[in-house]
Amino acid sequence: MEVIFIMIAISLLLALGFLAAFVWSMKTGQNDDLYTPSVRILFDEHQAGTNRIELDNDISQSKSH
Amino acid sequence: MSEVALAKPSPRLEEARCYHCGNTCDNHVVFHDRKPFCCEGCSKVYQLLDDNQLCDYYRFDENPGRQQLEGDPASSEYLDNASIVRSLLDFSTSGMAKVTFFIPYMHCASCIWLLENLPRLHAGVMHARVDFLKKQVAVTFNPTKISLREVVQVLKNIGYEPLIDIGKALTKGEKSSTGKLLTRLGVAGFCAGNIMLFSFPEYLGLEEPMYRQLFGYLNLVMSIPVVFYSAGEYFDSVRKSLSERKINLDVPILLAILTAFSRSVFEVLTETGAGYFDSLTGLIFLLLAGKWFQQKSFDFLSFERDVNAYFPLSVCKVSQDKETYVPLDHLQKGDKIKIRKNEIVPADCLLYQGKAELDYSFVTGEAVPEQKLPGELLFAGARLLGSAIEAEVVRVAQKSYLTQLWNEAKNLKARKSGIQTFTDAVGTWFTPLVLALAFGVAAFWWPTSVPRAINAFTATLIIACPCALAISYPFAVGHAMRWLSKVGVYLKNADVVERIAQSRLALFDKTGTLTKPGSRGIQYYGTELYTADLQALAVLSQQSTHPLSKQLATFLKPHAKPIKIENYEELTGKGIQALVNGHWVRYGSATMLGIAQPVGHHPKVFVEIDNQSKGYFEFQSGFRPGLADLLEGMKTRLQQVWLLSGDHATEKEALQDIFKEWSGMAFTQKPEDKMQKVKELEPFRPMMFGDGLNDAAALQVAHVGVAITDDTLTFSPGSDVIVEGKNLYRFPAVLDFAKGTMRTIRISFAISLVYNTIGLTFALTGNLSPLVAAVLMPISSVTMMLVSAAGTWWYGRRLVA
């Protein structure tokens, strides 16, 4: 039953780890804007180096469907 | 016949919609790339986006563009000035600079997409990131490749012009207090959760002393950050309140917290018990949750803009024929400045070159523009309508008449004693009551058993905590704020709900508040007039100084031609008659021309040519729709409704037509007159409705200041509430809702007293076990939250109906 001491210790460490993560997220400003990222994920990523004209043709082709 | 289409045009059946902005194209369609646009401006933006392969812009939302209106754009030359640039940038190093702009037009996904793709429009822009709720974009750019001015120009070109003002530059240093609260809340939550976990053995009857001690000490250690860090605000609040010899609601709360903490620490250290750490930290967590819930802010509005935000960022200074742009605060008495069309007069100054036509409506509320000649004093805040002028500064902006007034109002507001809020009132009598009860109980048990007496004393202090009220109040007003924002009524902070419910008198400004700016129009009804007739009327109306004539003159300006007039006669207050090119032209009131008075309260000017009645011009006053019901509704609920207008009394009758029971009407009120009047009526807790600078001081001083805007981002200083003009008619419902919210709070408080009583029966007998406390506390808190949510929902449904 003495193993419970170890378990308590570990659970505390875990909880403190989460608390530290929370405080870190607050400090680095991750909670400042919770809305825009939800819109941002819907945008397509244009890969760097792709020929822009080609990409545009693809888009206009898909638009004409 | 006549060149001006005076009758209303009939609507066309198929109208093309602009591909860019979605407005109907009317007669004037511009085609490009086989797509219709309503104007060259929209077409140009499309071309710009197309050239840069940014046409996905049109994919994310319907017609996301903004109509590019013609008009003199404000000059951005001032952005070349180094010190202004420095004050606007967030930071800058060699090769990289960052600036945050407020972009009012941002409203959809397309906007976000386009703005974040700004780097594709110019190589000098490195990165752009949008915060949609705040309507801000943070642009990182390379200052060697693109200047700040050019960045602004790019934004303008795509239709997303940033709103730059001094106020914004000054408030950049604001830190978010919500962040701090959230961190405290997080710490409290983590610790409370773990403490609850470690308290379970105690509830379930643990008896082994070693584990009891272990859990006891663990709980003690974990509760320290909660009491001293998370609840830190309560210490500050109580210190402040006691130093002012007042007792607010935080006093009994802190008393309960400290009593619970000390007793728990004592119990653990002396191994006589487990303490109440779980209830204590749980309580602190819920209290902070309430505070956080209450803190909603509408970042896209600014309640804090003051007079400075209204003035331009820089002024054109003239010295020895050279024009330079200097920041506003560098302006000194004696400087000569040049003011261009559509610019704001930046300081009290003496006109020395040019004839000034000034629009003072924003300052005095007077709708008719004023003409000033060289040698006359111009007050800061007016907008120049005519051609450019030059003037010499007499008083700089900070010392100008407007700023003085504004500062006076702010000082008055600071010194105001303020009506006690409901929670403060409760706190005032609650604390002595609880202390009396606690000491009474201790005295009762003392002879029997001292430990029991102390037990009962501390237990009473712990359980008789008005925490339920401290939880129901912020949740209720937080909900209220959210409900109100659904109908376009935005509150500065949650406490305003109570102030609205307390008010017993309403004051309305006229221009811009009861009237909708820009909706004044002149409509002609009758037989069509010949061109010659219109020319005659144009010339005649220019001769008179009567306000209606002047408006008619502006309306008919396109027709003005120098024509000979003979036998000109003006019958003051009635009309004009003259012989023009052989025709006998008369215009004026119905009585003058012997016509029967028609129905309706809009001013009408009748036209008679060669003794034949032709028709009339109706001057639409531009009153907002639903005004009669609004005023009626306010009067029923508040008993007093006043009018304070800066304008002349020309529309007094129209106003009395709409609403007969004005408690008082005052015209030609200058800004300080308005402020004075509001001060006088302070015992009635006045709610002032106004807009613009001329009401700013009055809004500050009122118990509730409501700013009306039609363009949500205009200047609304000193207000507690911002409401869009189109939602003004809802105010009677808003009053009902505010009262309903307060009723909900009072009901929840009554319910919480029930819980307190139950808890007290345990505490008074010295039987308050941690389990009982741990059960009662969450139940009462959750009940409070449910009641406040249900109550506001009940009243809120009626509000949005």
Side-chain angles (χ1 to χ4, degrees):
Chain A
M1 215 13 207
E2 280 70 25
V3 72
I4 202 166
F5 288 110
I6 301 176
M7 292 179 69
I8 290 171
I10 293 177
S11 80
L12 263 178
L13 276 173
L14 198 63
L16 282 172
F18 277 114
L19 183 61
F22 172 70
V23 174
W24 170 75
S25 82
M26 289 303 301
K27 282 216 159 80
T28 51
Q30 292 176 27
N31 293 21
D32 288 343
D33 180 8
L34 297 175
Y35 180 78
T36 320
S38 69
V39 180
R40 207 173 280 132
I41 57 170
L42 299 174
F43 300 147
D44 297 334
E45 285 260 345
H46 287 297
Q47 287 166 12
T50 313
N51 187 338
R52 283 201 180 143
I53 299 172
E54 257 175 40
L55 207 62
D56 199 44
N57 282 343
D58 289 339
I59 293 171
S60 43
Q61 267 173 19
S62 61
K63 260 206 265 200
S64 63
H65 287 338
Chain B
M1 280 204 182
S2 58
E3 283 150 9
V4 171
L6 291 175
K8 281 210 187 95
S10 54
R12 300 232 307 250
L13 287 170
E14 261 123 40
E15 282 166 336
R17 297 196 88 92
C18 176
Y19 184 75
H20 180 71
C21 66
N23 289 341
T24 53
C25 297
D26 287 338
N27 312 324
H28 184 144
V29 184
V30 173
F31 280 100
H32 179 85
D33 225 10
R34 282 180 292 137
K35 296 184 175 68
F37 296 97
C38 66
C39 58
E40 272 302 323
C42 288
S43 168
K44 278 210 200 85
V45 179
Y46 172 81
Q47 288 174 47
L48 177 63
L49 296 180
D50 196 27
D51 291 341
N52 287 289
Q53 281 101 40
L54 288 169
C55 282
D56 273 355
Y57 177 62
Y58 299 101
R59 190 156 70 102
F60 292 103
D61 220 316
E62 287 269 321
N63 309 122
R66 181 188 194 187
Q67 186 168 40
Q68 305 292 91
L69 297 161
E70 291 302 324
D72 293 324
S75 152
S76 37
E77 277 174 61
Y78 66 92
L79 289 168
D80 286 332
N81 181 304
S83 62
I84 290 182
V85 169
R86 223 169 329 143
S87 70
L88 288 174
L89 291 179
D90 294 337
F91 70 77
S92 77
T93 59
S94 65
M96 187 167 87
K98 186 164 172 229
V99 63
T100 308
F101 289 123
F102 175 59
I103 309 224
Y105 185 63
M106 221 192 280
H107 70 290
C108 66
S110 287
C111 309
I112 302 179
W113 183 84
L114 183 60
L115 287 169
E116 295 202 334
N117 272 297
L118 207 66
R120 283 166 69 168
L121 281 165
H122 195 292
V125 176
M126 291 152 59
H127 184 71
R129 197 170 173 91
V130 167
D131 183 333
F132 186 69
L133 291 180
K134 293 200 185 112
K135 295 207 171 125
Q136 286 179 344
V137 64
V139 180
T140 312
F141 63 98
N142 186 338
T144 57
K145 291 195 188 158
I146 181 174
S147 72
L148 183 66
R149 183 183 173 179
E150 287 170 303
V151 174
V152 174
Q153 194 55 46
V154 171
L155 287 169
K156 278 190 192 180
N157 289 344
I158 52 172
Y160 289 92
E161 183 172 348
L163 187 68
I164 302 175
D165 60 50
I166 302 179
K168 169 205 140 5
L170 291 176
T171 56
K172 239 180 336 149
E174 255 172 28
K175 281 229 312 246
S176 148
S177 63
T178 319
K180 211 166 162 213
L181 178 63
L182 213 49
T183 312
R184 286 185 166 159
L185 182 62
V187 168
F190 272 100
C191 294
N194 267 293
I195 291 175
M196 279 187 227
L197 191 64
F198 291 141
S199 301
F200 257 90
E202 180 65 37
Y203 307 150
L204 301 174
L206 173 72
E207 287 192 352
E208 177 130 0
M210 178 171 62
Y211 288 124
R212 258 191 139 187
Q213 271 175 53
L214 171 67
F215 291 130
Y217 281 107
L218 279 174
N219 284 348
L220 192 156
V221 168
M222 278 196 285
S223 69
I224 290 177
V226 180
V227 172
F228 293 102
Y229 170 64
S230 294
E233 270 184 25
Y234 284 97
F235 289 92
D236 294 332
S237 162
V238 168
R239 195 180 309 134
K240 203 170 136 221
S241 164
L242 289 179
S243 72
E244 287 172 15
R245 312 280 186 109
K246 284 199 226 157
I247 303 183
N248 63 15
L249 195 71
D250 292 341
V251 173
I253 292 177
L254 190 62
L255 190 61
I257 291 175
L258 288 176
T259 314
F261 183 69
S262 2
R263 173 156 169 184
S264 307
V265 168
F266 178 77
E267 282 189 2
V268 166
L269 289 178
T270 57
E271 290 165 32
T272 43
Y276 301 96
F277 292 113
D278 47 352
S279 309
L280 170 64
T281 51
L283 168 69
I284 294 176
F285 173 70
L286 287 171
L287 288 171
L288 289 180
K291 276 194 203 251
W292 172 74
F293 191 73
Q294 196 184 353
Q295 256 202 18
K296 177 162 179 77
S297 65
F298 301 104
D299 289 315
F300 60 93
L301 294 168
S302 174
F303 290 93
E304 292 313 325
R305 286 233 188 98
D306 66 6
V307 196
N308 292 317
Y310 180 62
F311 290 118
L313 210 55
S314 70
V315 184
C316 181
K317 187 166 138 174
V318 179
S319 56
Q320 286 129 3
D321 287 335
K322 244 185 3 163
E323 288 179 11
T324 45
Y325 277 90
V326 297
L328 181 65
D329 40 357
H330 287 193
L331 209 60
Q332 280 164 351
K333 181 171 166 173
D335 283 344
K336 294 187 169 39
I337 56 174
K338 182 171 185 171
I339 306 167
R340 295 198 169 82
K341 184 171 171 175
N342 276 335
E343 288 183 356
I344 309 274
V345 176
D348 293 347
C349 54
L350 201 65
L351 179 64
Y352 67 79
Q353 186 171 325
K355 269 200 294 193
E357 195 182 336
L358 298 166
D359 174 15
Y360 272 110
S361 63
F362 216 46
V363 181
T364 64
E366 172 66 61
V368 177
E370 273 185 43
Q371 315 270 12
K372 296 269 189 189
L373 296 169
E376 291 192 76
L377 187 64
L378 311 176
F379 285 109
R383 183 180 294 274
L384 188 66
L385 296 174
S387 43
I389 57 166
E390 283 183 32
E392 185 180 319
V393 176
V394 166
R395 265 192 298 268
V396 291
Q398 294 95 309
K399 296 207 178 50
S400 74
Y401 156 68
L402 271 181
T403 320
Q404 303 277 44
L405 191 63
W406 171 255
N407 287 332
E408 197 188 321
K410 263 178 57 165
N411 287 335
L412 276 174
K413 189 169 184 124
R415 272 188 277 126
K416 229 164 36 154
S417 55
I419 315 282
Q420 214 182 21
T421 59
F422 177 63
T423 53
D424 289 342
V426 166
T428 314
W429 62 259
F430 204 87
T431 312
L433 187 68
V434 164
L435 284 171
L437 200 61
F439 280 108
V441 143
F444 179 77
W445 288 111
W446 199 274
T448 318
S449 142
V450 174
R452 197 149 184 199
I454 298 181
N455 186 329
F457 176 76
T458 50
T460 309
L461 284 178
I462 293 170
I463 206 77
C465 166
C467 31
L469 183 64
I471 288 171
S472 77
Y473 182 86
F475 274 104
V477 293
H479 280 299
M481 232 167 99
R482 286 165 169 81
W483 277 102
L484 286 171
S485 70
K486 286 191 203 175
V487 292
V489 178
Y490 304 99
L491 270 48
K492 177 175 177 178
N493 56 50
D495 301 333
V496 179
V497 179
E498 192 169 0
R499 292 182 152 246
I500 292 178
Q502 288 172 336
S503 179
R504 292 206 308 271
L505 183 152
L507 293 133
F508 286 90
D509 167 51
K510 186 181 72 97
T511 318
T513 305
L514 294 179
T515 65
K516 183 169 165 174
S519 68
R520 284 177 166 273
I522 300 182
Q523 196 81 350
Y524 177 75
Y525 297 100
T527 41
E528 276 187 82
L529 296 170
Y530 293 105
T531 319
D533 298 333
L534 290 168
Q535 286 173 350
L537 287 168
V539 168
L540 282 186
S541 55
Q542 280 175 357
Q543 311 302 320
S544 163
T545 50
H546 188 274
L548 291 181
S549 283
K550 282 164 96 167
Q551 286 185 42
L552 193 63
T554 324
F555 179 66
L556 293 173
K557 204 154 161 196
H559 296 269
K561 257 163 86 164
I563 310 174
K564 201 160 76 119
I565 309 172
E566 292 158 20
N567 296 357
Y568 175 84
E569 201 183 330
E570 176 165 354
L571 304 154
T572 3
K574 294 209 182 67
I576 311 262
Q577 60 187 31
L579 195 65
V580 182
N581 272 346
H583 294 283
W584 188 232
V585 179
R586 300 172 82 199
Y587 75 82
S589 67
T591 34
M592 173 185 128
L593 296 173
I595 303 171
Q597 267 288 15
V599 169
H601 50 251
H602 294 299
K604 291 178 182 58
V605 166
F606 291 82
V607 176
E608 194 190 84
I609 313 249
D610 290 332
N611 289 317
Q612 238 191 349
S613 174
K614 290 280 178 174
Y616 61 91
F617 288 94
E618 185 176 69
F619 290 73
Q620 287 155 350
S621 51
F623 283 127
R624 295 187 193 273
L627 208 52
D629 289 331
L630 167 67
L631 294 167
E632 201 56 66
M634 296 299 277
K635 179 79 193 240
T636 328
R637 289 161 176 78
L638 294 174
Q639 285 105 44
Q640 284 199 63
V641 173
W642 288 66
L643 179 81
L644 283 185
S645 174
D647 214 345
H648 291 306
T650 35
E651 283 175 2
K652 186 167 176 178
E653 276 149 27
L655 285 163
Q656 280 173 331
D657 261 348
I658 298 176
F659 180 66
K660 296 201 188 350
E661 293 166 50
W662 292 97
S663 315
M665 284 172 120
F667 292 92
T668 59
Q669 297 283 296
K670 298 210 269 300
E672 62 261 28
D673 297 329
K674 291 192 184 188
M675 181 172 87
Q676 209 46 47
K677 192 75 199 176
V678 172
K679 255 178 71 186
E680 258 175 52
L681 295 168
E682 203 180 305
F684 297 97
R685 301 173 195 172
M687 192 184 305
M688 169 84 194
F689 291 80
D691 77 306
L693 273 180
N694 70 108
D695 297 320
L699 285 175
Q700 269 273 40
V701 171
H703 192 64
V704 179
V706 183
I708 321 286
T709 76
D710 287 288
D711 153 15
T712 3
L713 312 139
T714 344
F715 192 45
S716 36
S719 60
D720 303 301
V721 182
I722 292 180
V723 59
E724 289 175 89
K726 64 179 197 244
N727 290 319
L728 182 60
Y729 74 93
R730 291 188 185 267
F731 245 87
V734 169
L735 285 181
D736 291 336
F737 179 71
K739 294 213 169 88
T741 306
M742 292 315 295
R743 202 171 299 143
T744 305
I745 292 173
R746 280 189 270 265
I747 290 175
S748 67
F749 181 58
I751 297 176
S752 83
L753 284 179
V754 171
Y755 284 106
N756 267 347
T757 317
I758 297 176
L760 274 174
T761 58
F762 285 95
L764 293 175
T765 54
N767 276 336
L768 188 72
S769 73
L771 181 58
V772 171
V775 164
L776 265 183
M777 257 280 311
I779 292 187
S780 80
S781 305
V782 168
T783 313
M784 292 304 107
M785 290 199 272
L786 284 176
V787 168
S788 57
T792 49
W793 174 81
W794 172 256
Y795 290 107
R797 289 230 319 175
R798 286 202 233 155
L799 175 69
V800 299

